[in-house]
Amino acid sequence: MASRCWRWWGWSAWPRTRLPPAGSTPTFGGSDEVRDPANAKALRNKRRRMQVRVKLGKFQLLLDIQEKTPQICVVGSGPAGFYTAQHLLKQHPQAHVDIYEKQPVPFGLVRFGVAPDHPEVKNVINTFTQTAHSGRCAFWGNVEVGRDVTVPELQEAYHAVVLSYGAEDHRALEIPGEELPGVCSARAFVGWYNGLPENQELEPDLSCDTAVILGQGNVALDVARILLTPPEHLERTDITKAALGVLRQSRVKTVWLVGRRGPLQVAFTIKELREMIQLPGARPILDPVDFLGLQDKIKEVPRPRKRLTELLLRTATEKPGPAEAARQASASRAWGLRFFRSPQQVLPSPDGRRAAGVRLAVTRLEGVDEATRAVPTGDMEDLPCGLVLSSIGYKSRPVDPSVPFDSKLGVIPNVEGRVMDVPGLYCSGWVKRGPTGVIATTMTDSFLTGQMLLQDLKAGLLPSGPRPGYAAIQALLSSRGVRPVSFSDWEKLDAEEVARGQGTGKPREKLVDPQEMLRLLGH
């Protein structure tokens, strides 16, 4: 190929192996058509036309490349954001994806939601890192969409925008007393021990004997497990130093997990249940009465639900073997499931200054299968405690006035990830379908959104012509005094966290102050 380069930016228009000898009459491509000096002018004109065509062809090629390089923006760097980016990059060989994140660090709930004693779940970070290292992907942290830059501004800069910012809020109990000190959301508690900057001022009071968690999902079990796990078992995890210090001083001995419905409707999974049953230094408290008649009912339920319920049933009704009985007898802590109970009020202490218990309505079930719902029987009971953690679900927030939002469901109205009535705008993950499922569920969901986007791109439904992408957004951010954090910046923070953890045998000591992070980066 080197011998066939034409004159352009200094290259010879003649094939290098065909240059005419000095002093001879030039020929073009070995042709004898211009041996007469009278035709020299014609030759020169022909060469000029050839050069112009080559130049225009090259310029057209550059334009074609720009036209075929869709600039796509993803808002949120948790599993939904990274899986969406991964699918787009894999399925479209020219696509460029910019991922914006309001925190200075990436990975969303993988970093801030996964329990510190579940490090294997965080291995997915390795896959996300590979995506971020792609030459067609860029991460920009410390950029809050809706504050630092608007969604319409992103839409002007990119061919398509995908909102994948998750569910950043918790569902309120909406009962009297939930504003009392001693009541907080499980989401905030998880953020506190996992180093989420906005939750570092939480300072939960663990000086009480009993804690009540309202909810029976995996988050509720995570919180119960962290409260009851011996601190020495958490020392080798990435739990924050501050949280570990508070847990060392904890006086919580009993944790109740309260649910409106029964054993067949619990939202946690069998892996988390096994961990609780086998938790060192803790014993389960289950009332056999709650499981009467359950043996016959579980025969027709799906296998995962059946296995889970059978484990609950055995734990509640079967006498443990000698070794397990001895372990439970020596346990200094306990956890229990309270079924058929719905919170009505957080009870205040005698001086009214903090939570002292929860008033529960006794319920019964009506309906069958998916239509089963809990209705009050009219009976009430009070459950004393000093700490109330609400774990009844997460919800998303509206990110920008220009984006449709269903405040009741806490999601962006969409059809298969396409935001309704806003062409070129998409969503994936919890903000798309609600806060349900595990990381694998989010992966499938995000791939589907990416597929819809690429279908629209192929069908010509997205804006045509080149878009500036990050170049335009960078100018806006600079004018507003915002300093984005790149992925290489994050890797410097990552190295710092790992170095800080090495001294105490931890995998890392998380940085929890965004200002400290920015100072370390020289921002």
Side-chain angles (χ1 to χ4, degrees), residues 470-496:
Y470 180 65
I473 303 304
Q474 183 182 31
L476 286 175
L477 296 175
S478 179
S479 70
R480 294 165 187 172
V482 179
R483 295 284 299 274
V485 172
S486 68
F487 200 79
S488 60
D489 287 335
W490 149 245
E491 290 179 318
K492 295 173 186 174
L493 297 177
D494 178 42
E496 175 67 19

CSV table of all heavy atoms in Angstrom, one decimal, residues 470-496:
chain,number,residue,atom,x,y,z
A,470,TYR,N,-19.0,15.0,24.3
A,470,TYR,CA,-18.5,15.5,25.5
A,470,TYR,C,-17.8,16.9,25.3
A,470,TYR,O,-17.7,17.7,26.2
A,470,TYR,CB,-17.4,14.5,26.1
A,470,TYR,CG,-16.8,15.1,27.3
A,470,TYR,CD1,-17.5,15.3,28.5
A,470,TYR,CD2,-15.4,15.4,27.4
A,470,TYR,CE1,-16.9,15.7,29.7
A,470,TYR,CE2,-14.8,15.9,28.5
A,470,TYR,CZ,-15.6,16.0,29.7
A,470,TYR,OH,-15.0,16.5,30.8
A,471,ALA,N,-17.3,17.2,24.1
A,471,ALA,CA,-16.7,18.5,23.8
A,471,ALA,C,-17.6,19.6,24.2
A,471,ALA,O,-17.2,20.6,24.8
A,471,ALA,CB,-16.2,18.6,22.4
A,472,ALA,N,-18.9,19.5,23.8
A,472,ALA,CA,-19.8,20.6,24.2
A,472,ALA,C,-20.1,20.6,25.6
A,472,ALA,O,-20.2,21.7,26.3
A,472,ALA,CB,-21.1,20.3,23.4
A,473,ILE,N,-20.3,19.4,26.3
A,473,ILE,CA,-20.6,19.4,27.7
A,473,ILE,C,-19.4,19.8,28.5
A,473,ILE,O,-19.6,20.5,29.5
A,473,ILE,CB,-21.0,17.9,28.1
A,473,ILE,CG1,-22.2,17.5,27.2
A,473,ILE,CG2,-21.3,17.9,29.6
A,473,ILE,CD1,-23.4,18.4,27.3
A,474,GLN,N,-18.2,19.5,28.1
A,474,GLN,CA,-17.0,20.0,28.8
A,474,GLN,C,-17.0,21.5,28.9
A,474,GLN,O,-16.6,22.1,29.9
A,474,GLN,CB,-15.8,19.4,28.1
A,474,GLN,CG,-14.5,19.8,28.9
A,474,GLN,CD,-13.3,19.3,28.1
A,474,GLN,OE1,-13.3,19.2,26.9
A,474,GLN,NE2,-12.2,18.9,28.9
A,475,ALA,N,-17.3,22.1,27.8
A,475,ALA,CA,-17.3,23.6,27.8
A,475,ALA,C,-18.3,24.2,28.7
A,475,ALA,O,-18.1,25.1,29.4
A,475,ALA,CB,-17.6,24.1,26.3
A,476,LEU,N,-19.5,23.5,28.8
A,476,LEU,CA,-20.5,24.0,29.7
A,476,LEU,C,-20.1,23.8,31.1
A,476,LEU,O,-20.2,24.7,32.0
A,476,LEU,CB,-21.8,23.2,29.5
A,476,LEU,CG,-22.7,23.5,28.2
A,476,LEU,CD1,-23.8,22.6,28.1
A,476,LEU,CD2,-23.2,25.0,28.3
A,477,LEU,N,-19.6,22.6,31.4
A,477,LEU,CA,-19.1,22.3,32.8
A,477,LEU,C,-18.0,23.3,33.2
A,477,LEU,O,-18.0,23.8,34.4
A,477,LEU,CB,-18.7,20.9,32.9
A,477,LEU,CG,-19.7,19.8,32.7
A,477,LEU,CD1,-19.1,18.4,32.7
A,477,LEU,CD2,-20.8,19.9,33.8
A,478,SER,N,-17.1,23.6,32.3
A,478,SER,CA,-16.0,24.5,32.7
A,478,SER,C,-16.5,25.9,33.0
A,478,SER,O,-16.0,26.5,33.9
A,478,SER,CB,-15.0,24.5,31.5
A,478,SER,OG,-13.9,25.4,31.7
A,479,SER,N,-17.5,26.3,32.2
A,479,SER,CA,-18.0,27.6,32.4
A,479,SER,C,-18.8,27.7,33.8
A,479,SER,O,-19.0,28.8,34.3
A,479,SER,CB,-19.0,28.0,31.3
A,479,SER,OG,-20.2,27.2,31.3
A,480,ARG,N,-19.2,26.6,34.3
A,480,ARG,CA,-20.0,26.5,35.5
A,480,ARG,C,-19.1,26.1,36.7
A,480,ARG,O,-19.6,25.9,37.8
A,480,ARG,CB,-21.1,25.6,35.4
A,480,ARG,CG,-22.2,26.1,34.4
A,480,ARG,CD,-23.1,25.0,33.9
A,480,ARG,NE,-24.0,25.6,32.8
A,480,ARG,CZ,-24.8,24.8,32.1
A,480,ARG,NH1,-25.0,23.5,32.3
A,480,ARG,NH2,-25.5,25.4,31.1
A,481,GLY,N,-17.8,26.0,36.5
A,481,GLY,CA,-16.9,25.7,37.6
A,481,GLY,C,-16.9,24.2,38.0
A,481,GLY,O,-16.5,23.9,39.2
A,482,VAL,N,-17.4,23.3,37.2
A,482,VAL,CA,-17.4,21.9,37.5
A,482,VAL,C,-16.2,21.2,37.0
A,482,VAL,O,-15.9,21.3,35.8
A,482,VAL,CB,-18.7,21.3,37.0
A,482,VAL,CG1,-18.8,19.8,37.4
A,482,VAL,CG2,-19.9,22.0,37.5
A,483,ARG,N,-15.5,20.4,37.9
A,483,ARG,CA,-14.3,19.7,37.5
A,483,ARG,C,-14.7,18.2,37.4
A,483,ARG,O,-14.7,17.5,38.5
A,483,ARG,CB,-13.2,19.9,38.5
A,483,ARG,CG,-12.7,21.3,38.5
A,483,ARG,CD,-11.8,21.7,37.3
A,483,ARG,NE,-10.6,20.8,37.2
A,483,ARG,CZ,-9.5,21.0,37.9
A,483,ARG,NH1,-9.3,22.1,38.7
A,483,ARG,NH2,-8.4,20.2,37.7
A,484,PRO,N,-14.9,17.6,36.2
A,484,PRO,CA,-15.2,16.2,36.2
A,484,PRO,C,-14.0,15.3,36.6
A,484,PRO,O,-12.9,15.7,36.5
A,484,PRO,CB,-15.5,16.0,34.7
A,484,PRO,CG,-15.9,17.4,34.2
A,484,PRO,CD,-15.0,18.3,34.9
A,485,VAL,N,-14.4,14.1,37.1
A,485,VAL,CA,-13.4,13.1,37.4
A,485,VAL,C,-13.4,12.0,36.4
A,485,VAL,O,-14.4,11.4,36.1
A,485,VAL,CB,-13.7,12.5,38.8
A,485,VAL,CG1,-12.8,11.4,39.2
A,485,VAL,CG2,-13.6,13.6,39.9
A,486,SER,N,-12.2,11.8,35.8
A,486,SER,CA,-12.1,10.8,34.8
A,486,SER,C,-11.9,9.4,35.4
A,486,SER,O,-11.7,9.2,36.6
A,486,SER,CB,-10.9,11.1,33.8
A,486,SER,OG,-9.7,10.9,34.6
A,487,PHE,N,-12.0,8.4,34.5
A,487,PHE,CA,-11.8,7.0,35.1
A,487,PHE,C,-10.3,6.8,35.5
A,487,PHE,O,-10.1,6.1,36.5
A,487,PHE,CB,-12.1,5.9,34.0
A,487,PHE,CG,-12.4,4.6,34.6
A,487,PHE,CD1,-13.6,4.3,35.3
A,487,PHE,CD2,-11.4,3.6,34.7
A,487,PHE,CE1,-13.8,3.1,35.9
A,487,PHE,CE2,-11.6,2.4,35.3
A,487,PHE,CZ,-12.9,2.1,35.9
A,488,SER,N,-9.4,7.4,34.9
A,488,SER,CA,-8.0,7.4,35.4
A,488,SER,C,-7.8,8.1,36.7
A,488,SER,O,-7.0,7.7,37.6
A,488,SER,CB,-7.0,7.9,34.3
A,488,SER,OG,-7.3,9.3,34.1
A,489,ASP,N,-8.6,9.1,36.9
A,489,ASP,CA,-8.6,9.8,38.2
A,489,ASP,C,-9.2,8.8,39.3
A,489,ASP,O,-8.6,8.7,40.4
A,489,ASP,CB,-9.6,11.0,38.2
A,489,ASP,CG,-9.0,12.2,37.4
A,489,ASP,OD1,-7.7,12.3,37.4
A,489,ASP,OD2,-9.7,13.0,37.0
A,490,TRP,N,-10.3,8.1,38.9
A,490,TRP,CA,-10.8,7.1,39.9
A,490,TRP,C,-9.8,6.1,40.2
A,490,TRP,O,-9.7,5.7,41.4
A,490,TRP,CB,-12.1,6.5,39.3
A,490,TRP,CG,-12.2,5.1,39.8
A,490,TRP,CD1,-12.2,3.9,39.0
A,490,TRP,CD2,-12.4,4.6,41.1
A,490,TRP,NE1,-12.3,2.8,39.8
A,490,TRP,CE2,-12.5,3.2,41.1
A,490,TRP,CE3,-12.6,5.3,42.3
A,490,TRP,CZ2,-12.7,2.4,42.2
A,490,TRP,CZ3,-12.7,4.5,43.5
A,490,TRP,CH2,-12.8,3.1,43.4
A,491,GLU,N,-9.0,5.7,39.2
A,491,GLU,CA,-8.0,4.6,39.5
A,491,GLU,C,-6.9,5.1,40.5
A,491,GLU,O,-6.4,4.3,41.2
A,491,GLU,CB,-7.4,4.1,38.2
A,491,GLU,CG,-8.4,3.3,37.4
A,491,GLU,CD,-7.9,2.8,36.1
A,491,GLU,OE1,-7.2,3.6,35.4
A,491,GLU,OE2,-8.2,1.7,35.7
A,492,LYS,N,-6.7,6.4,40.5
A,492,LYS,CA,-5.8,7.0,41.5
A,492,LYS,C,-6.4,6.9,42.9
A,492,LYS,O,-5.8,6.5,43.9
A,492,LYS,CB,-5.4,8.4,41.2
A,492,LYS,CG,-4.6,8.6,39.9
A,492,LYS,CD,-4.4,10.0,39.5
A,492,LYS,CE,-3.8,10.2,38.1
A,492,LYS,NZ,-3.7,11.6,37.7
A,493,LEU,N,-7.7,7.2,43.0
A,493,LEU,CA,-8.4,7.1,44.2
A,493,LEU,C,-8.5,5.7,44.7
A,493,LEU,O,-8.4,5.4,45.9
A,493,LEU,CB,-9.8,7.7,44.1
A,493,LEU,CG,-9.9,9.2,43.8
A,493,LEU,CD1,-11.4,9.6,43.6
A,493,LEU,CD2,-9.2,10.0,44.9
A,494,ASP,N,-8.7,4.8,43.8
A,494,ASP,CA,-8.8,3.3,44.0
A,494,ASP,C,-7.5,2.9,44.7
A,494,ASP,O,-7.5,2.1,45.7
A,494,ASP,CB,-9.1,2.6,42.7
A,494,ASP,CG,-9.1,1.1,42.9
A,494,ASP,OD1,-9.7,0.6,43.9
A,494,ASP,OD2,-8.6,0.4,42.0
A,495,ALA,N,-6.4,3.3,44.1
A,495,ALA,CA,-5.1,2.9,44.6
A,495,ALA,C,-4.8,3.4,46.0
A,495,ALA,O,-4.3,2.8,46.9
A,495,ALA,CB,-4.0,3.4,43.6
A,496,GLU,N,-5.3,4.6,46.2
A,496,GLU,CA,-5.2,5.3,47.6
A,496,GLU,C,-6.0,4.5,48.6
A,496,GLU,O,-5.5,4.2,49.7
A,496,GLU,CB,-5.7,6.7,47.5
A,496,GLU,CG,-5.7,7.4,48.9
A,496,GLU,CD,-4.3,7.6,49.5
A,496,GLU,OE1,-3.3,7.6,48.7
A,496,GLU,OE2,-4.3,7.9,50.7
